[in-house]
Amino acid sequence: MKLTNEQIERYSRQIILKEVGGKGQEKLLNSKVLVIGAGGLGSPVLLYLAAAGIGTLGIVDSDKVDITNLQRQVIHFTDDLKKEKVLSAKEKIEKINPDVHVITYNTRVDASNIREIIKEYDFIIDGTDNFPAKFLINDACYFEKKPYSHGGILRFQGQTMTYTPGNACYRCIFETPPPKGVIPSCSEAGIIGAMAGLLGVIQASEAIKYLLSTGELLTNKLLFVDILNLEFRVINIKRNKKCPLCSESPEIKELIDIEQPICKISI
Amino acid sequence: MPEMVTVEFNGEILERERYVETIIHEGDSIEFIYYFGGGNYKH
C-alpha cells in the first residue's frame, strides 16, 4: 500500500518521527487491532488508534450506552444513550478517520468465541471490566500466540502490562481470579475518568510500539499508576515457573470459561 | 486478606501457602501486587 498525499498530510506529525516514517505508517494502516470493551479503557484506546491510522479496528462489547458511562467513556456522547456501544464507537471512529475499517462484535467474549475472534488480529487490548474476561483474554492470547495489553483501573489507580508470546503472562502474577466479593468494581468503588483515559492511552501506545517494532514494551513488567498521589511505579515480573498456564507443566491445557461473577463488596 | 494480593519476594512470586513460613530479612525486596478489574458491570 502506498500512502496518498492526503494520508501523508494527515499523519505528517507522526511520519516525521524516525520510529514511524512512511514505512511505519503503512504498517499501521495494514494492522488490525482488537479492542475488547468499548468503555473507560476502550474509549481512549479506540480514539487514539483510530486517529493514528490503524487500518482495522475490531470492537467487542455487548452493552448499550448508559448515562453513568459518560463521565469516563469519552467515545460515547449524550446523544448516544441507549445505543449499542459498538455502533456508537464505530460512528465516532469513522468521523475521526475514514481510513479506518471498523469491525463490530456486539457480543461478550467467552471460551466458545474468543479464539475465533482474536485470531484475525495483530494485537489485542483488554479493556474489560471483570476478572473472568481478563483471565479468558490472557488464556486465549496465550493459546493463539497473540500479544495483548492488560489494563485494570479502580478509583484513582490502575495497572497495565503487556504480554507477548514467551514473556510473563497475567497468570504468572495472578494465578486465578480473586474470590467473589474481594475486589470491588468501578460501579461500586468509583473511578475518575482521567484515570481510565491515562491507562487507555498507555495501552494504545503499547499497541503502536508493538506494531512498529520500536521502543520498549511493558513486557515482564507491571506498571502501577496512582493519580491521587501521582505515583508511577514499574514492578519487574518474571515468568513464573509454577504458572498454571504458561509453565512447562501447566494445569490449564485448554480454554475454559471462568465461573466467577464480578465481585460485590460494600464500601 | 491474602486472597486479594500477590506477593513478589526477591523477584519471585511467593506462593500463598508460603506466606506464613516466610521470614523477611533486612534487604529483602517485597512487592504487593493487587488485582485491578474496573468497570461498570451490572450485577
Side-chain angles (χ1 to χ4, degrees):
Chain A
M1 180 176 35
K2 269 275 163 234
L3 298 175
T4 64
N5 286 341
E6 194 192 314
Q7 285 173 328
I8 291 170
E9 210 172 350
R10 175 185 284 267
Y11 305 114
S12 58
R13 298 301 189 273
Q14 62 195 48
I15 289 175
I16 59 169
L17 297 169
K18 69 174 174 25
E19 291 82 358
V20 184
K23 286 234 164 64
Q25 189 59 54
E26 287 173 16
K27 254 191 221 170
L28 296 180
L29 285 162
N30 285 320
S31 296
K32 301 174 91 174
V33 175
L34 181 72
V35 180
I36 306 179
L41 296 170
S43 291
V45 169
L46 287 164
L47 291 169
Y48 276 96
L49 292 184
I54 304 299
T56 303
L57 286 174
I59 315 170
V60 187
D61 205 308
S62 64
D63 280 351
K64 292 190 168 74
V65 180
D66 182 85
I67 195 162
T68 62
N69 301 152
L70 301 179
Q71 156 265 11
R72 67 194 178 288
Q73 302 184 15
V74 292
I75 204 166
H76 309 301
F77 300 169
T78 305
D79 287 348
D80 299 315
L81 289 174
K82 298 189 177 137
K83 193 183 280 183
E84 289 168 6
K85 283 189 180 175
V86 287
L87 183 62
S88 163
K90 181 176 196 269
E91 288 171 359
K92 307 317 176 332
I93 291 167
E94 286 170 347
K95 278 188 186 167
I96 293 167
N97 190 348
D99 283 344
V100 181
H101 172 53
V102 182
I103 301 173
T104 59
Y105 305 85
N106 187 11
T107 185
R108 291 176 71 88
V109 285
D110 61 37
S112 73
N113 66 12
I114 188 168
R115 289 183 74 161
E116 202 57 37
I117 296 173
I118 66 172
K119 74 178 189 193
E120 301 300 320
Y121 291 87
D122 302 311
F123 193 91
I124 290 95
I125 304 270
D126 165 21
T128 62
D129 58 7
N130 64 92
F131 291 107
K134 290 191 181 304
F135 280 82
L136 180 76
I137 291 167
N138 181 71
D139 297 357
C141 287
Y142 171 75
F143 286 122
E144 286 292 327
K145 300 183 172 59
K146 294 288 183 186
Y148 88 97
S149 167
H150 155 80
I153 47 173
L154 198 66
R155 302 189 182 105
F156 293 85
Q157 298 178 329
Q159 70 179 198
T160 176
M161 67 175 277
T162 300
Y163 167 78
T164 61
N167 288 310
C169 80
Y170 187 56
R171 282 195 194 261
C172 286
I173 308 172
F174 301 108
E175 291 190 7
T176 54
K180 292 177 200 174
V182 172
I183 312 293
S185 73
C186 293
S187 54
E188 292 154 334
I191 176 71
I192 284 291
M195 182 63 241
L198 174 58
L199 211 83
V201 169
I202 294 169
Q203 291 186 284
S205 65
E206 287 291 288
I208 289 169
K209 288 188 299 181
Y210 175 83
L211 297 170
L212 295 173
S213 312
T214 191
E216 284 289 316
L217 290 171
L218 201 54
T219 46
N220 297 317
K221 292 184 184 88
L222 182 83
L223 171 67
F224 168 78
V225 182
D226 176 340
I227 55 166
L228 190 60
N229 301 302
L230 203 60
E231 184 191 358
F232 286 73
R233 211 152 59 88
V234 173
I235 300 164
N236 290 313
I237 302 293
K238 274 196 245 171
R239 275 188 77 171
N240 186 344
K241 285 176 199 143
K242 292 184 178 155
C243 176
L245 181 68
C246 74
S247 60
E248 279 175 16
S249 47
E251 291 159 40
I252 302 162
K253 296 190 174 71
E254 59 181 16
L255 202 58
I256 42 154
D257 280 314
I258 299 135
E259 296 295 328
Q260 193 255 1
I262 196 159
C263 320
K264 280 186 170 182
I265 197 165
S266 306
I267 289 188
Chain B
M1 196 185 285
E3 294 81 12
M4 63 189 290
V5 67
T6 283
V7 177
E8 192 190 57
F9 184 65
N10 292 333
E12 306 278 350
I13 301 296
L14 188 64
E15 293 154 76
R16 288 211 171 94
E17 305 80 70
R18 293 181 52 209
Y19 288 0
V20 175
E21 66 184 50
T22 302
I23 296 163
I24 302 161
H25 298 283
E26 202 176 325
D28 282 338
S29 128
I30 299 162
E31 291 281 2
F32 293 95
I33 309 174
Y34 293 90
Y35 289 94
F36 277 86
N40 194 42
Y41 193 80
K42 300 278 193 309
H43 299 294

